[in-house]
Amino acid sequence: MNTSPLSHPGLNLGSVDEYSHEEAEPVIFGFWIFLMADLVLFALLFATYATMSVQGQADGPSPADIFDLSSAFIGTMLLLASSITFGMASLALKYRADGPHLVLWLVLTFILGAGFIGMELRDFMTMIAQGAVPQLSGFLSSFYLLVATHGIHVTAGLIWMIVLLIQLRVMGRTTTVKLRIMRLALFWHMLDIVWVCIFSFVYLYGVTL
Amino acid sequence: MNGEPTTGGAVETYEKDFRSYCIGGALALVLTAIAFALVAFEILPVFERLVAIALLAVVQIVVHFRYFLHISWHSHRDDLQLVLFTSLILFLMVGGTIWILFNLHSRMM
């Protein structure tokens, strides 16, 4: 059983819940295709940003003038921690048929994700207070567009998480709810991958160049 | 059921899955810390630093795919092929855009 092939991305329910495991394959494959398409959106925003951040500064500030590395680091750690706690929630979904673990890990993930969004909004406010508003230059327009698109995705993930916590309470751990949590897990881990690109190629490159 | 891992056969896979998230989390933390440290303490000359950050990002992305999204060669559908094909498309789009626009920019100077 342990060597059976994985039938879809993310944690497979496998032998623990055979029925849900069989139901999972097509819906999660479909969601995986959506995620790949979503990556295309982010890639084009990255391409725009890469050009604009160098060639589109106009008379505005350069990335190194306005980026705050320590707050980017805190945000990165919050999002990474939330990815790990969601992993623990997935484990609880698979291996603990009842008990509070799943809900507690999801709530912890929510708090970390909300903390990340809080840091990001605080950063935006600080930048705007310094006069680095989106309409000042092509660099700033594409910066806010890219980073806020990621932020809106994370916010959508947080809303999704609240909805699933309510569904867990109302509907219990049915196959439907399990599969929804598994898709949210993929969404959440994928957003962390996009953030790896943002902190590397936006923040770290911006401060170094 | 009292919240303990369920069936007997699942215990070893629980260990395996738990270890996977722990390894992934630890690697991701270390790679992130190295990338930020390179910039914060200005280790390496600028060009080498940029290359190192890019490499660390690629390694971290692979770690996330492997340990958090559980994509592997053993996937039964075309999950991995889909990721690789998407990566190829993204590389062409992003690489092509940057190449062309920076080329244009240098001609305009």
Side-chain angles (χ1 to χ4, degrees), chain A residues 21-140:
Chain A
H21 183 53
E22 277 175 29
E23 293 289 300
E25 193 188 324
V27 287
I28 291 190
F29 186 68
F31 192 71
W32 189 246
I33 295 173
F34 157 72
L35 285 176
M36 295 297 110
D38 214 25
L39 285 183
V40 175
L41 165 72
F42 278 111
L44 291 176
L45 293 178
F46 271 108
T48 311
Y49 175 80
T51 355
M52 281 298 193
S53 63
V54 178
Q55 304 167 15
Q57 291 177 7
D59 299 324
S62 72
D65 295 335
I66 47 168
F67 287 165
D68 178 358
L69 209 55
S70 53
S71 98
F73 183 68
I74 296 169
T76 303
M77 283 299 151
L78 286 172
L79 199 63
L80 182 56
S82 83
S83 220
I84 298 170
T85 57
F86 209 130
M88 295 301 128
S90 299
L91 286 172
L93 176 75
K94 180 172 177 181
Y95 292 106
R96 295 181 192 272
D98 47 20
H101 299 85
L102 173 60
V103 171
L104 289 178
W105 283 118
L106 281 179
V107 169
L108 188 57
T109 309
F110 181 89
I111 293 168
L112 290 166
F116 168 80
I117 291 293
M119 286 299 292
E120 190 166 297
L121 288 177
R122 206 193 63 123
D123 275 6
F124 284 177
M125 307 275 244
T126 318
M127 285 175 62
I128 287 168
Q130 290 169 353
V133 288
Q135 61 269 36
L136 195 62
S137 67
F139 150 57
L140 286 166

Side-chain angles (χ1 to χ4, degrees), chain A residues 178-197:
Chain A
K178 279 187 176 180
L179 296 189
R180 286 174 185 162
I181 296 173
M182 284 155 74
R183 274 171 280 178
L184 176 58
L186 294 186
F187 185 70
W188 201 258
H189 292 312
M190 194 59 84
L191 286 180
D192 205 14
I193 291 178
V194 174
W195 184 257
V196 170
C197 294

Side-chain angles (χ1 to χ4, degrees), chain A residues 132-190:
Chain A
V133 288
Q135 61 269 36
L136 195 62
S137 67
F139 150 57
L140 286 166
S141 305
S142 59
F143 168 78
Y144 283 103
L145 183 62
L146 170 61
V147 178
T149 303
H150 177 271
I152 289 168
H153 274 74
V154 175
T155 311
L158 292 174
I159 295 169
W160 191 353
M161 221 175 281
I162 294 174
V163 171
L164 285 181
L165 282 166
I166 295 169
Q167 290 190 351
L168 265 177
R169 169 140 293 218
V170 176
M171 300 160 71
R173 283 202 215 179
T174 59
T175 294
T176 321
V177 175
K178 279 187 176 180
L179 296 189
R180 286 174 185 162
I181 296 173
M182 284 155 74
R183 274 171 280 178
L184 176 58
L186 294 186
F187 185 70
W188 201 258
H189 292 312
M190 194 59 84

Side-chain angles (χ1 to χ4, degrees), chain B residues 36-90:
Chain B
F36 273 91
L38 283 178
V39 176
F41 304 114
E42 300 190 345
I43 303 161
L44 297 176
V46 171
F47 179 74
E48 281 84 346
R49 207 186 305 158
L50 294 177
V51 174
I53 293 168
L55 289 176
L56 286 165
V58 171
V59 174
Q60 192 170 348
I61 288 168
V62 173
V63 165
H64 282 237
F65 271 114
R66 172 71 185 77
Y67 293 102
F68 292 157
L69 290 162
H70 306 278
I71 298 293
S72 77
W73 299 107
H74 308 297
S75 294
H76 143 233
R77 285 235 198 192
D78 301 331
D79 304 321
L80 181 64
Q81 284 85 333
L82 209 49
V83 174
L84 294 176
F85 180 67
T86 308
S87 313
L88 174 68
I89 297 289
L90 300 191

